[in-house]
Amino acid sequence: MTDASPPHKRRVRYAGTHPRQFEEKYKELDPTRHAAEVDKVMQRGQTPAGMHRSICVDEILAILKPVPGETGLDLTLGFGGHTLAMLPLVQPGGRMFGMDVDPIELPRTTARLRAAGFGEEALSVHRANFSELATLLPQAGGGFDFVLADLGVSSMQIDNPARGFSFRADGPLDLRLDPSSGQSASELLLCVTRHRLRDLLTDNSDEPFAVPLAAALQGQYLETTVQLADLVRATMELAYKRSMPAEERLAETKKVLQRTFQALRIEVNDEFGVLDTMLLNLPACLKPGGRVAILSFHSGEDRRVKKCFQTGERNGIFSSVAADPIRASYDEQRSNPRSTSAKLRWAVRALH
C-alpha cells in the first residue's frame, strides 16, 4: 500500500530571530495560512512579500462609478486588487476584462480571482500589453463603460530578487516585465551607445549625473543588480565633491540608484512608447460617456496622460477631464508609503 501524501518539506531557515530575505518570509508568502502575520506587516506600513497593495481604490471607484451590467477593463491587472473591488459592482450582468504582460504573475492573479468566485462569464483575463486594448473590442461588445490603468510596477515584482527590479537584493539584471520578450537591462548596457545611455537616464528619470553614469556603465558586462549598484556607487564617489558630508552622500546615492534602475526599466520595457500607443487608441475603446482613470508614478507618464486628456477635451473627444491630479490621502500615504508619488487623472468620453 503506497502513501499518496506528499513528502514533508521543511520551511526555509534564516539567521536571527526574523526573516530578512524575500524567500525566507514564508508566512507573508502564504497569506491564506498566516493572515494575522500579514496584517501585522501592513499595520507597520509595509507591503507583505509577494503581495501588492492597490492604491487609491476608493478614489478610483468614485471616478469610474461601476454599476450592474457594465463592461469594464483593467489594463494593468497586476495583483488584481482594483479589479477585485470592481467585480462585485458590475454584477449582475456585467463583466470585467483584465490585461497584463507579466507571464509570471498573471496566472497567480487569475487563480486568486477565480478562487474568489469570479468565473469566465464575470472576468476575462488576457496576457497582452495594454497598447493592444483595441483587440478586446469584439469580445466587449464594441466598447467599454470604464477603463483603469495603474502604471506602477507591482510590489511583488519589485520585491522579488529573482525578477531583478531592485538594487536592494542580489538578482539577475533583467528589469523586464515580460522576461521572455525583448532585451534585458544587462544586454542593453552592453550594446547601447554612451550618448543614448546619457539621454535615457535624463529623459526617463531626470538624472542629474547622467554624463558620468553613462561613461561608467556603457559597454559594461553586468550580470546582477548588485554589480550594477556597486558600479553606480563607485561612480558617484568620484563625482561628489570631497566636502560633501557622508550622510548626504548616502542619501544622494540612494536616489541615484533608484533613478538609474527606473531609467533602465522604462527603456527595456519601452514604457513611454506603449503608453503613447495606449493613449492614442483609448478614446475609440470607450463607449459614449465612458470613464477612464489612469494612475501614474512618474512625471514623464503624468505629462503624457495630462496632454492626452487636455487635447481630447479641446477636440471634443472628452466632455470633461481632471483639472488637477488626485493624490493618495494622508492616511493612505502613511500606511502605504509607495502611494506617495501616485497621481490619478480621469476623463469622460463625450456623448457623441
Side-chain angles (χ1 to χ4, degrees):
M1 183 175 180
T2 59
D3 185 3
S5 60
H8 175 69
K9 185 178 180 180
R10 298 184 66 177
R11 66 171 174 82
V12 177
R13 297 296 180 182
Y14 49 85
T17 58
H18 294 85
R20 295 184 179 275
Q21 303 301 319
F22 179 87
E23 61 276 4
E24 295 173 346
K25 299 178 180 180
Y26 68 96
K27 291 184 178 180
E28 297 175 39
L29 291 168
D30 190 3
T32 57
R33 295 182 60 189
H34 303 281
E37 185 68 25
V38 169
D39 186 61
K40 288 180 183 178
V41 173
M42 291 195 290
Q43 291 297 324
R44 296 197 299 265
Q46 299 173 341
T47 300
M51 293 181 64
H52 177 77
R53 301 175 67 180
S54 298
I55 294 170
C56 291
V57 175
D58 291 340
E59 292 84 352
I60 287 169
L61 293 179
I63 290 167
L64 297 182
K65 299 180 177 66
V67 297
E70 287 194 325
T71 302
L73 169 61
D74 188 340
L75 287 167
T76 48
L77 188 59
F79 196 73
H82 290 117
T83 289
L84 187 60
M86 292 185 285
L87 273 166
L89 300 179
V90 299
Q91 301 305 318
R95 195 181 191 194
M96 285 293 303
F97 286 77
M99 300 180 73
D100 206 293
V101 74
D102 190 330
I104 297 172
E105 293 298 333
L106 185 60
R108 298 171 182 170
T109 297
T110 303
R112 281 193 298 271
L113 294 174
R114 296 286 186 236
F118 298 102
E120 183 65 32
E121 72 285 349
L123 173 66
S124 180
V125 178
H126 302 265
R127 183 189 161 196
N129 193 291
F130 64 38
S131 62
E132 303 172 63
L133 74 165
T135 62
L136 299 181
L137 287 178
Q139 300 177 55
F144 296 95
D145 295 291
F146 59 89
V147 172
L148 167 67
D150 178 349
L151 305 181
V153 178
S154 297
S155 297
M156 65 272 189
Q157 295 166 325
I158 296 173
D159 294 339
N160 186 352
R163 301 300 303 272
F165 277 91
S166 174
F167 59 88
R168 292 184 175 89
D170 198 10
L173 185 55
D174 196 307
L175 294 173
R176 288 173 294 177
L177 295 169
D178 180 357
S180 67
S181 176
Q183 186 181 52
S184 70
S186 177
E187 293 166 335
L188 170 69
L189 291 176
L190 271 177
C191 65
V192 69
T193 67
R194 184 178 301 186
H195 287 168
R196 175 59 188 149
L197 183 55
R198 177 202 64 194
D199 290 345
L200 71 87
L201 286 166
T202 301
D203 297 341
N204 295 357
S205 61
D206 302 316
E207 177 53 62
F209 297 98
V211 172
L213 284 171
L217 301 180
Q218 185 270 331
Q220 296 295 322
Y221 179 55
L222 305 173
E223 293 185 281
T224 70
T225 53
V226 166
Q227 288 175 341
L228 173 58
D230 287 344
L231 185 51
V232 169
R233 292 188 182 100
T235 302
M236 296 315 300
E237 283 302 309
L238 296 175
Y240 294 142
K241 294 181 179 179
R242 291 187 177 182
S243 58
M244 190 176 188
E247 288 188 6
E248 189 176 339
R249 285 172 179 254
L250 286 173
E252 183 59 33
T253 299
K254 181 179 179 180
K255 294 178 183 177
V256 173
L257 284 166
Q258 291 171 335
R259 292 191 295 259
T260 300
F261 273 71
Q262 173 183 276
L264 294 175
R265 190 204 76 221
I266 289 173
E267 182 68 15
V268 299
N269 294 293
D270 190 23
E271 293 180 25
F272 290 157
V274 296
L275 176 58
D276 289 339
T277 301
M278 184 272 283
L279 291 171
L280 180 66
N281 295 330
L282 175 64
C285 297
L286 285 168
K287 293 180 181 178
R291 295 85 64 196
V292 56
I294 300 182
L295 196 62
S296 65
F297 296 81
H298 180 273
S299 58
E301 295 170 341
D302 183 60
R303 282 194 298 268
R304 285 169 163 81
V305 175
K306 178 182 177 181
K307 181 179 179 181
C308 170
F309 286 177
Q310 290 180 341
T311 301
E313 186 181 32
R314 286 195 301 269
N315 294 337
I317 297 172
F318 295 119
S319 59
S320 58
V321 302
D324 297 296
I326 298 169
R327 308 302 293 262
S329 67
Y330 171 77
D331 288 341
E332 181 170 9
Q333 291 187 38
R334 186 174 61 177
S335 66
N336 183 10
R338 291 179 177 177
S339 68
T340 55
S341 60
K343 292 183 179 180
L344 177 62
R345 292 186 182 273
W346 57 265
V348 178
R349 185 75 161 88
L351 293 174
H352 55 81

